[in-house]
Amino acid sequence: MSLITAIRETFLGFKSLLVGLRITAREASRPIITVQYPRETLKMPARFRGHIKLVLDPETGKPRCTACTLCAKACPSGCIVLDGVKREGDKKKSVSKYELDFTTCSLCGSCVEICPSDAIEFSKEYNVVSLNRDTFENMDLYAKIEAEARAWSAAHPAPPAASPPPAAAPANPTAPASQPLNAPAG
Amino acid sequence: MIATRETVSAAPAAQGPQETFVLNLGPQHPAAHGVLRVLMTMEGEWIQRAEPVIGYIHRMHEKMGENRTWAKFLPNTSRIDYLSAMHYTHAFVGAVERAMKIEVPLRAEYARVITSELNRISSHMVWWGALLLDLGGFTPILYAFDDREKILDLLEGLCGARLTYCYYRFGGLYNDVDDEFLRGTRDFVQHLRPRLKMYRDLVTDNVILRKRLTNIGPIDAEMCRRYGATGPVIRGAGVPYDVRRMEPYSVYPRLDFKVPMYPECDSMARYLVRMDEMEQSLRIIEQALDQIPTGPFLAPKVPRVLRLPAGDYSYAVEAARGRFMVRIVSDGKEIPYRVRLRAPSFSNLSLYEEASRGMILPDALAMMGSLDLVIPDIDR
Amino acid sequence: MTFLSLEPIRVLLYLVGICAFVGANAAYLVLAERKGAGRIQRRPGPNEAGWAGWMQPLADGLKLLAKQIMVPPGTDSLLFRLAPLLVMAPPLMCLVTIPFGENVVARDLNLGLLLVFSFGSINVMALMLGGWASRNKYAIISAARVVSQNVAYEIPMLLVVITLLMMTGTMSLQEITAQQAGGFWHWNLFKLWVNPLMPVTFVIFFTCMLAETNRAPFDMAEAESELVAGAFTEYGGMGFGVFFMAEYANIVVGCCLATVLFLGGWQSPIGILSSGAWGLLWFFLKTYALILTVIWIRWTFPRTQFYSLLNLSWKILIPLSLATLLLTGAMMKLPLLWRALS
Amino acid sequence: MNLLELHQQPGVYLVLAAFLMGAGIYGFLRRRTLIGMLISGEIIFAAASLNLMVMNRFFAPDPAVGQVFVLFIMGLAAAEVAIALSIIIAVYRNYRSIGSRELTGLKG
Amino acid sequence: MNATFPFSEYLVTAVFALAAGTTIAGALIAVMTTRIIRSVGGLMITCLGLAGLYYFLHSPFLALMEILIYVGAVCITIVFGVMLSEPDEPAEPRRLTRTLRSAAAALVAVLVGLGLAYLSLQGPWPTAAAGAAPADGSVAAIGRALLTTYSLPFELISIVLLLAILGALVIARGGRHRAEPEAGPARRPAAVSNPGTTPQIEPAGADPVPELVTTDSR
Amino acid sequence: MNPTLDQLIAQFTELIGPEAFAAAAAPAVPPSPPAATAVGTTGASPAAGGGVPVAAAKPAPAPAAPPPPLQATQHALKGYDLDARVAPNQVVDAARLLDRAGFAIDAVTGVDWLAQEEMEIVYDYFHPSQSLRMVVRTRVPRAAPELPSISGVFPGANWHERETHDFFGIRFAGHPNLKPFLLPEDANFHPLRKDYTP
């Protein structure tokens, strides 16, 4: 009896090995599924939470942020430092400095959630790389939005009331080069 | 870290005719997932005593809980056990909701169940692959990761993150479950069923794996009880203990699922429990997808700054590794007075010393794999 | 006995050729292994260095060469350095007697098979000395495992080979190949009318070959999830590289041997076209098919547990091979008996 | 004596065998562990085997007799090693030492 | 093996010198070194050199057997013994005794070696077969001799081997069993209960136990 | 093996002793179990050192009217079913009692009540085959926090107690191994004490 069981088990065991081999052979004949990263890139979904960025109002070409500092207060790790000035002609304060310490940011989204004026959103950059640690420790979001605003005003040449020259804004002079981050590959 | 004098001499030193030596397994070792160190007193390949040494990535989450508001602690919860982040957030959110008596909308509850179960499947897939890696089979982890990627893609599309979701909010969700997610989840369920069969053919039925796990690393129900081991460990010891059944939460009572249980008490039983759990999770997801109502995804009138009524509250969930309990103590202020995180891996590992006595090294590592340890979960 | 005999030159050329063959095999089998693993796991494998990764072995080799050879303090430095040499020599010796084609053999000894086995046994010694000399607990455990495993599997392997020798009546590999001429049904594996147990014998031989070369699922020696890297834990740079090359060289030897003994060596499967370069082609086709099978097996199965591995040998393979030996002997003597009786 | 004929001179082999014998005896006397003595013993065996082979090659009428004897020696050596090592291990278990000096307590 | 060795004379001599040198070096390592594991290595080298010498003595079969048995079996067994008992030479308490001892051993060894060498060079060997067509050292002759003239010793050797295996097992295992009782911690798990038994806190009777799935383990 | 809530309450009432109940001046409802479930909401936390009504009236140091030592609570509101407050020397007895009743150890933890100069140690238990959760708590003076270890009863408590010792400096008498556990080997601080500053 036990001999029969033993033989049967040996046979079944051997068969299971063959089944395993068949499966790996079948898988080997199927196309590869990995993304060859530097050559192919992924498209991030709409809700992807990258690092945060300031939002430009498409109407006026200015940052929406009113420097209310709610985001900085909501941040669990205290990684947002921002400041605002009240420019002449504006009713509200507007942002003049916005630095994110991306090394401590946990991408939880509390800041985006709490923002009353929808002035922050997640970027879709997922491969943020740099050779410089400072790039992440003091990620100057304001410099970026400035660049965007300049591009906007270049694309919308002088409607009746000339928009304030963005160069006049007190941009952070010590900020690193305005494009330290790699573009999302391509 | 070097073996200190005490730790070495605490082991039964070489006295009498048997000779022992101390093997420092870890903190960097291919089989110690993460930075776990096991101080093994060996006699040849036989383990006389295996003492886990932990704390290498201790982050003091509990202290962090005491110096920030309830809402600010929320992201931390998905970083304790990064493989089943949903469950951990669920427990914390649940505890706060219990204290505040917040009624969570039904749609949010169903969405929580769906995402939790998806998370459970993805966590079990990592375990499956890692166990096979421990046993020397390299291919399964990549098959599992292929399928797991699909879950992560779904969850990323839903909440924007792939691992540390932080998706639940007090009284609901971070954002609504969209149709795309629901459709994708349905497709995924269809996709995974044949894959699970493939897993079974490739690995579960494999005679080598059977030999490696059957009758290896016995952990019986009594040992589980004395050590507080939960999850697949206790269910592999023949006790159908599942928090989803024993202390029902969310909408689990409305869903029909079985609690997989194997009475063999060995590593294979724990293995089979997890494999069955994946199928049960698929069942749960399907039902939840069928039942999910429309409606709000966030409870109205949840104050922005929470002040919990004084008292202590606990909330337990069935995480992928077992019972995860959050015990919060509030003194009425807006920051917690005490947050206690009861991690399942912690209790599951604590029985290792007793259970591994007298085993040989490969078997002990196979048993360690069958416990499904996540070191950040242990160290917190 | 002419002074300017061509024979020494021929042998020297063969030695150089064999070294080159082993080196190229070791390098490109690593690539094949990684590519094969990649295919099985549905990823491309190394594909950056050179066209489709063809320069990867070169890059790996350069990296290993550039690394410092470290002899950790506390090791037995002499043995530590000796072990890599010792591990590389046997496979080179074994290949001397393997007939790659009708006329392509370095030295056709009439004891070729014995030579392969006797030199194969040195390998164990090398791993063991390397493991012992490392003064590393993992390495010592691994060394002990290597020995028990190789001793356990050498026995059924030799028994199987003796079974085969009873059929062939010679230990010269070239003669064994020559006996299998004329179509695949003349191969030893399929000579079922001579010995219906040949497939069983082949399976035993193949299993033992896997175990002797420390290949998954029997890679006890370097069970990376248990023993980190086993006997090679303390080796770095080219020291490790040589162990690695020797592992692949051993696989090549094992598969060549299996080809010669069971699959007709350089004989073509259809009975014609076995001479000259065709022979080489058939030989390498068969050998590499076997090597690919070895790779395929590695990436499919988990590792066996050490004690069940020994049990497999002592409780299943040895009795089985003994039984095949006895049955084969009986079958071969049966006609004689029949003739004597009638 | 022609240097090129060295490998065909029985005397060379015999001197080699004598050297092995001497080395073996030296080791046997000097070693103070059982395994060391065992190894020296193996070298003495090797000397004997070499002598037998020389006799077989150069002086014996029967071509196989010396070789057969060497085979027997090998078999005996294997058996001897197995037994000796098991004894050594048994001794080691009981005395925690295999130094020949410490083994004065062994009684028949 | 063909009688005419195919290398030219110089190569032959060089290879012969290599074999002889390996033998000598191996023997010296084996007896001189203090580390026992190196000593085993020396024995291995000796055996390899000896195999070369056997080849020159027209017996490739014996040469290969020497490697197979000595390197593949004897040396490995000895290394195993070394691993199990770690017997590095105990340091001699006094230097003088060590020197004296070594000197005495060397004296005896040199005397024996020189005497034997002298004898072997002087001895009136019958020169019947010397230089003549070398004896056929083929396997066939050995096999025939083993199964005809020497069949009784052959059988005896196999019995000796069998007894050696059994004896080795008995001795080695016996020691282990005797050592077991006072061994301290149990080798086998004492705390581990039989995995087959039913667990103790199985839900009793009519508990609110949900439906269980106990899929039979495939 | 599968005790009912009533049985547990009876056993714990016996264990805690009448004095403790007497000390609880409040109109607590000691042993009448199922009706007392409502207590959980109003009686609130004994842990909070005075629940909703009491805390406002009483200054911190001496909780003059401690809540009843045994409370049945609603699981849905608190996450546990029974809350027992025992003297420090009774925790081992409580653990034995629960061990006999088939409970499993869930967690051991501390709470540092700085204002009251007390340390609270909370033992959580769950039942593996029954929906029953039990909390046992005790308080020790903050100046000399020491109490017996229950690791002899529940070996799983060993690690939890080591952790609690790490974090709070509470000494568990009879614990086999109170070395630093999660903290570094040479740690001599207790980070979860409220007066700890890094």
Side-chain angles (χ1 to χ4, degrees):
Chain A
M1 176 55 214
S2 69
L3 184 68
I4 295 172
T5 326
I7 290 173
R8 189 171 157 270
E9 273 181 10
T10 312
F11 178 74
L12 286 180
F14 197 70
K15 193 184 146 216
S16 78
L17 297 181
L18 294 182
V19 168
L21 284 175
R22 203 193 66 212
I23 287 175
T24 40
R26 197 184 62 207
E27 292 289 321
S29 65
R30 293 168 66 187
I32 61 167
I33 44 172
T34 48
V35 175
Q36 302 305 305
Y37 163 60
R39 304 197 177 78
E40 303 165 39
T41 47
L42 292 168
K43 191 177 176 304
M44 288 297 109
R47 289 174 177 180
F48 178 75
R49 303 207 294 244
H51 67 82
I52 55 169
K53 66 174 188 186
L54 294 172
V55 179
L56 210 63
D57 193 334
E59 305 288 312
T60 60
K62 284 185 225 162
R64 276 183 183 161
C65 177
T66 57
C68 65
T69 70
L70 269 181
C71 50
K73 281 178 197 141
C75 181
S77 40
C79 58
I80 299 174
V81 177
L82 80 164
D83 204 357
V85 290
K86 194 160 175 180
R87 299 196 175 80
E88 59 257 52
D90 289 357
K91 287 197 199 76
K92 284 185 282 189
K93 273 211 295 194
S94 65
V95 66
S96 64
K97 171 187 175 204
Y98 202 102
E99 279 180 12
L100 172 69
D101 184 356
F102 194 51
T103 56
T104 57
C105 173
S106 59
L107 297 170
C108 64
S110 302
C111 46
V112 178
E113 254 180 306
I114 210 157
C115 183
S117 45
D118 289 340
I120 327 175
E121 67 175 23
F122 297 112
S123 74
K124 302 284 172 278
E125 283 176 33
Y126 61 92
N127 47 357
V128 278
V129 277
S130 166
L131 292 173
N132 189 357
R133 179 192 171 95
D134 198 50
T135 317
F136 298 122
E137 272 180 350
N138 302 306
M139 197 185 249
D140 194 343
L141 301 182
Y142 183 68
K144 286 188 169 190
I145 195 81
E146 277 295 280
E148 268 185 53
R150 243 175 277 132
W152 186 90
S153 53
H156 300 260
S163 57
N172 193 347
T174 59
S178 61
Q179 284 291 4
L181 303 174
N182 284 7
Chain B
M1 216 192 283
I2 315 156
T4 57
R5 187 170 288 273
E6 301 136 274
T7 48
V8 174
S9 61
Q15 21 164 295
Q18 304 289 346
E19 195 171 76
T20 59
F21 64 95
V22 174
L23 186 68
N24 225 329
L25 197 92
Q28 299 295 336
H29 186 274
H33 304 238
V35 277
L36 170 67
R37 168 165 158 239
V38 185
L39 212 59
M40 288 182 168
T41 310
M42 315 266 300
E43 185 210 327
E45 286 213 40
W46 301 88
I47 293 173
Q48 282 195 343
R49 184 163 181 272
E51 183 194 357
V53 181
I54 64 174
Y56 289 95
I57 47 168
H58 175 53
R59 292 156 294 170
M60 202 77 241
H61 273 296
E62 298 184 7
K63 186 72 182 174
M64 282 193 229
E66 290 182 16
N67 55 28
R68 57 195 60 193
T69 63
W70 297 100
K72 281 186 182 179
F73 186 64
L74 199 54
N76 284 48
T77 53
S78 53
R79 283 163 176 80
I80 299 161
D81 178 353
Y82 50 82
L83 291 180
S84 65
M86 289 287 185
H87 305 113
Y88 281 53
T89 317
H90 199 163
F92 181 67
V93 164
V96 172
E97 282 159 1
R98 180 168 275 167
M100 296 287 288
K101 303 198 183 63
I102 298 173
E103 188 77 19
V104 182
L106 213 49
R107 184 175 174 82
E109 289 284 25
Y110 274 106
R112 283 180 183 183
V113 166
I114 294 172
T115 49
S116 282
E117 295 305 320
L118 280 176
N119 202 183
R120 189 187 313 280
I121 295 175
S122 75
S123 171
H124 282 350
M125 277 171 173
V126 176
W127 156 79
W128 187 70
L131 172 74
L132 266 292
L133 216 51
D134 283 357
L135 301 181
F138 190 76
T139 299
I141 195 172
L142 286 151
Y143 291 168
F145 266 56
D146 174 18
D147 294 328
R148 179 173 175 264
E149 272 313 281
K150 297 193 166 61
I151 299 178
L152 298 191
D153 284 346
L154 283 173
L155 293 177
E156 187 186 26
L158 182 63
C159 65
R162 295 177 78 79
L163 207 57
T164 51
Y165 309 105
C166 189
Y167 177 54
Y168 306 153
R169 291 289 185 269
F170 305 120
L173 305 170
Y174 166 64
N175 51 21
D176 196 7
V177 282
D178 51 357
D179 291 341
E180 194 186 341
F181 171 77
L182 296 176
R183 214 179 316 114
T185 309
R186 234 177 243 288
D187 292 346
F188 173 74
V189 171
Q190 297 307 318
H191 162 83
L192 194 62
R193 288 243 159 83
R195 293 287 288 187
L196 285 179
K197 183 180 176 302
M198 187 272 265
Y199 291 1
R200 198 166 64 225
D201 287 343
L202 176 65
V203 175
T204 313
D205 286 348
N206 187 295
V207 63
I208 299 177
L209 182 99
R210 293 254 161 199
K211 278 251 187 297
R212 289 293 312 259
L213 297 183
T214 313
N215 286 338
I216 297 298
I219 297 172
D220 62 1
E222 178 62 13
M223 195 193 279
C224 288
R225 188 181 70 80
R226 285 184 296 125
Y227 281 95
T230 47
V233 179
I234 198 171
R235 289 196 286 275
V239 181
Y241 178 77
D242 188 318
V243 182
R244 292 174 292 181
R245 275 285 155 71
M246 289 298 173
E247 299 172 39
Y249 58 96
S250 196
V251 287
Y252 282 109
R254 300 177 178 218
L255 299 166
D256 172 39
F257 63 98
K258 292 176 179 168
V259 177
M261 182 204 79
Y262 286 85
E264 286 91 357
C265 304
D266 56 358
S267 297
M268 196 68 205
R270 298 189 277 280
Y271 175 95
L272 290 172
V273 163
R274 291 201 182 86
M275 296 312 274
D276 284 359
E277 264 182 34
M278 288 203 244
E279 285 175 24
Q280 292 303 319
S281 290
L282 287 183
R283 270 186 72 194
I284 296 176
I285 291 171
E286 268 188 337
Q287 294 172 46
L289 285 172
D290 290 339
Q291 296 178 16
I292 187 167
T294 52
F297 65 94
L298 199 59
K301 295 182 298 193
V302 177
R304 206 151 240 185
V305 180
L306 292 167
R307 281 173 211 279
L308 266 60
D312 64 343
Y313 311 90
S314 62
Y315 196 94
V317 295
E318 181 70 23
R321 271 149 213 87
R323 175 188 175 84
F324 175 67
M325 181 191 75
V326 170
R327 161 174 216 97
I328 54 178
V329 180
S330 167
D331 58 351
K333 301 216 180 72
E334 61 201 57
I335 59 174
Y337 193 76
R338 175 90 174 89
V339 180
R340 162 70 176 164
L341 309 162
R342 188 268 187 207
S345 295
F346 186 85
S347 299
N348 291 357
L349 179 65
S350 68
L351 54 71
Y352 189 73
E353 182 172 343
E354 185 178 329
S356 67
R357 201 167 292 153
M359 296 175 79
I360 66 169
L361 183 62
D363 287 349
L365 292 177
M367 183 180 84
M368 192 193 273
S370 79
L371 290 178
D372 190 11
L373 303 172
V374 169
I375 310 302
D377 184 33
I378 297 166
D379 285 353
R380 299 188 303 284
Chain C
M1 273 224 179
T2 55
F3 189 77
L4 284 173
S5 157
L6 282 179
E7 185 66 11
I9 299 167
R10 193 183 73 90
V11 171
L12 271 180
L13 276 179
Y14 266 110
L15 274 179
V16 171
I18 284 170
C19 285
F21 176 66
V22 165
N25 258 310
Y28 278 90
L29 282 184
V30 176
L31 183 67
E33 176 112 36
R34 292 169 70 183
K35 282 276 189 192
R39 283 307 319 179
I40 285 174
Q41 294 155 0
R42 302 185 65 190
R43 56 190 176 82
N47 61 351
E48 287 297 317
W51 177 76
W54 276 95
M55 302 302 277
Q56 188 69 37
L58 196 70
D60 288 348
L62 277 178
K63 190 197 86 173
L64 286 177
L65 277 175
K67 281 187 166 181
Q68 187 187 0
I69 295 185
M70 248 187 67
V71 182
T75 55
D76 188 330
S77 58
L78 177 76
L79 291 179
F80 190 81
R81 291 198 178 94
L82 186 68
L85 293 181
L86 212 53
V87 82
M88 200 61 215
L92 290 178
M93 280 304 287
C94 293
L95 280 175
V96 165
T97 187
I98 303 259
F100 296 100
E102 193 180 5
N103 299 313
V104 191
V105 53
R107 185 124 189 88
D108 178 33
L109 300 170
N110 58 4
L111 292 172
L113 201 50
L114 191 62
L115 181 129
V116 171
F117 278 96
S118 56
F119 278 95
S121 63
I122 299 181
N123 198 23
V124 193
M125 194 73 192
L127 279 179
M128 186 157 190
L129 288 181
W132 173 265
S134 299
R135 285 240 160 227
N136 179 312
K137 285 166 191 164
Y138 294 115
I140 289 175
I141 294 179
S142 159
R145 284 181 172 193
V146 167
V147 174
S148 339
Q149 181 184 346
N150 282 43
V151 168
Y153 279 84
E154 211 146 280
I155 297 166
M157 198 165 185
L158 282 172
L159 286 175
V160 160
V161 169
I162 289 173
T163 313
L164 205 74
L165 284 185
M166 283 165 59
M167 289 171 60
T168 60
T170 174
M171 280 206 243
S172 157
L173 295 177
Q174 189 66 283
E175 271 180 51
I176 292 177
T177 313
Q179 286 172 2
Q180 306 180 54
F184 68 88
W185 54 94
H186 286 286
W187 295 355
N188 278 337
L189 177 56
F190 302 111
K191 270 189 183 164
L192 297 181
W193 65 91
V194 180
N195 183 357
L197 293 168
M198 273 337 267
V200 179
T201 319
F202 178 68
V203 169
I204 297 175
F205 182 87
F206 196 74
T207 315
C208 295
M209 198 264 287
L210 283 180
E212 287 275 301
T213 51
N214 290 324
R215 278 296 288 193
F218 305 116
D219 54 342
M220 289 302 122
E222 40 162 329
E224 77 277 350
S225 59
E226 295 154 21
L227 302 179
V228 188
F232 329 135
T233 306
E234 296 291 343
Y235 283 92
M238 219 44 217
F240 174 75
V242 169
F243 273 113
F244 212 65
M245 275 168 69
E247 194 188 317
Y248 283 96
N250 278 323
I251 295 167
V252 172
V253 171
C255 289
C256 285
L257 199 60
T259 309
V260 170
L261 292 184
F262 290 94
L263 300 179
W266 43 264
Q267 305 284 359
S268 99
I270 43 174
I272 48 168
L273 291 177
S274 350
S275 59
W278 283 105
L280 278 177
L281 175 76
W282 296 124
F283 185 86
F284 285 118
L285 269 183
K286 295 170 193 172
T287 306
Y288 284 111
L290 280 179
I291 291 176
L292 283 182
T293 314
V294 169
I295 290 175
W296 180 19
I297 285 176
R298 168 166 181 190
W299 296 104
T300 304
F301 300 131
R303 184 181 305 119
T304 49
Q305 201 252 25
F306 184 58
Y307 285 81
S308 53
L309 172 78
L310 292 186
N311 278 342
L312 176 70
S313 172
W314 292 104
K315 290 187 182 162
I316 297 181
L317 290 184
I318 291 181
L320 206 61
S321 52
L322 269 175
T324 39
L325 182 67
L326 290 178
L327 284 175
T328 309
M331 268 180 288
M332 292 183 67
K333 290 297 166 191
L334 213 56
L336 282 180
L337 195 69
W338 185 252
R339 220 173 296 147
L341 286 177
S342 58
Chain D
M1 197 190 290
N2 187 359
L3 204 63
L4 294 181
E5 298 275 302
L6 214 51
H7 62 281
Q8 289 174 347
Q9 300 293 327
V12 176
Y13 295 96
L14 289 174
V15 169
L16 263 176
F19 167 78
L20 283 178
M21 185 76 190
I25 287 173
Y26 171 74
F28 205 84
L29 292 178
R30 206 192 68 119
R31 289 274 176 214
R32 276 166 298 117
T33 57
L34 291 179
I35 289 185
M37 292 160 83
L38 185 67
I39 291 171
S40 307
E42 290 299 329
I43 289 179
I44 295 175
F45 270 132
S49 309
L50 187 58
N51 251 3
L52 280 172
M53 291 296 291
V54 177
M55 300 301 152
N56 173 61
R57 159 80 174 81
F58 295 105
F59 311 121
D62 184 351
V65 56
Q67 302 187 38
V68 169
F69 270 89
V70 173
L71 268 182
F72 287 160
I73 287 181
M74 284 180 190
L76 278 178
E80 171 229 345
V81 163
I83 289 282
L85 277 173
S86 61
I87 292 175
I88 287 170
I89 289 166
V91 165
Y92 181 70
R93 284 227 178 82
N94 292 324
Y95 290 82
R96 308 309 288 168
S97 160
I98 58 165
S100 50
R101 183 166 294 176
E102 286 82 358
L103 296 183
T104 48
L106 279 180
K107 293 205 175 64
Chain E
M1 185 89 297
N2 201 340
T4 52
F5 200 73
F7 293 109
S8 60
E9 288 89 340
Y10 291 107
L11 267 176
V12 173
T13 309
V15 174
F16 176 75
L18 184 73
T22 316
T23 316
I24 294 172
L28 284 178
I29 294 175
V31 296
M32 304 294 272
T33 178
T34 47
R35 284 201 190 158
I36 211 80
I37 191 95
R38 289 191 181 179
S39 183
V40 186
L43 179 63
M44 187 188 71
I45 293 172
T46 313
C47 292
L48 287 175
L50 215 53
L53 291 180
Y54 288 179
Y55 191 84
F56 276 95
L57 290 169
H58 293 263
S59 182
F61 177 67
L62 261 281
L64 294 176
M65 286 309 272
E66 174 86 14
I67 294 177
L68 191 67
I69 292 179
Y70 269 94
V71 180
V74 170
C75 283
I76 283 176
T77 320
I78 295 179
V79 176
F80 224 56
V82 173
M83 279 187 168
L84 287 173
S85 53
E86 298 183 47
D88 265 354
E89 293 267 303
E92 188 79 36
R94 276 162 307 170
R95 204 182 149 161
L96 186 64
T97 28
R98 193 179 62 201
T99 326
L100 275 179
R101 197 189 157 91
S102 298
L107 190 68
V108 172
V110 166
L111 282 180
V112 169
L114 282 182
L116 280 177
Y118 178 76
L119 278 179
S120 52
L121 287 178
Q122 296 300 310
W125 302 109
T127 48
D136 179 18
S138 75
V139 193
I142 297 172
R144 213 167 292 125
L146 272 180
L147 292 179
T148 53
T149 324
Y150 300 100
S151 56
L152 187 65
F154 183 61
E155 295 301 326
L156 282 178
I157 280 284
S158 47
I159 291 174
V160 164
L161 275 172
L162 185 67
L163 286 179
I165 294 170
L166 293 178
L169 278 177
V170 166
I171 294 172
R173 285 181 76 99
R176 177 137 254 173
H177 279 306
R178 219 174 33 248
E180 195 87 26
E182 65 261 27
R187 294 179 59 77
R188 278 292 171 184
V192 170
S193 66
N194 187 0
T197 52
T198 39
Q200 294 183 18
I201 46 167
E202 192 152 50
D207 261 282
V209 177
E211 71 271 57
L212 310 172
V213 46
T214 325
T215 331
D216 75 5
S217 27
R218 269 174 297 275
Chain F
M1 274 317 213
N2 283 326
T4 62
L5 192 60
D6 296 2
Q7 287 167 348
L8 269 183
I9 288 172
Q11 286 171 343
F12 264 93
T13 315
E14 193 185 335
L15 174 81
I16 295 169
E19 302 85 24
F21 286 100
V29 228
S32 65
T37 45
V39 171
T41 44
T42 53
S45 60
V52 189
V54 189
K58 299 292 170 196
L70 190 64
Q71 285 177 313
T73 51
Q74 268 186 9
H75 188 282
L77 293 169
K78 303 288 281 183
Y80 44 83
D81 299 292
L82 190 61
D83 181 353
R85 179 177 185 143
V86 302
N89 55 7
Q90 288 172 335
V91 288
V92 180
D93 289 334
R96 288 219 181 86
L97 197 159
L98 289 166
D99 183 32
R100 278 196 300 276
F103 274 87
I105 181 79
D106 193 355
V108 179
T109 188
V111 184
D112 180 16
W113 296 104
L114 186 65
Q116 291 132 31
E117 291 289 314
E118 275 182 334
M119 291 270 194
E120 182 177 10
I121 295 96
V122 187
Y123 300 83
D124 280 284
Y125 298 93
F126 67 92
H127 202 288
S129 52
Q130 197 176 355
S131 181
L132 197 54
R133 283 256 293 111
M134 170 90 205
V135 175
V136 177
R137 54 181 99 226
T138 185
R139 290 198 174 206
V140 292
R142 201 167 177 281
E146 180 158 347
L147 76 165
S149 160
I150 64 161
S151 56
V153 186
F154 285 103
N158 182 324
W159 280 22
H160 289 287
E161 286 178 352
R162 266 178 86 180
E163 186 193 316
T164 310
H165 174 255
D166 263 20
F167 290 169
F168 293 94
I170 297 168
R171 294 200 53 78
F172 291 89
H175 190 284
N177 185 12
L178 271 186
K179 282 180 312 187
F181 190 41
L182 289 167
L183 297 183
E185 280 173 349
D186 54 348
N188 54 1
F189 48 87
H190 304 295
L192 277 183
R193 288 188 174 203
K194 286 286 175 188
D195 54 359
Y196 167 77
T197 42

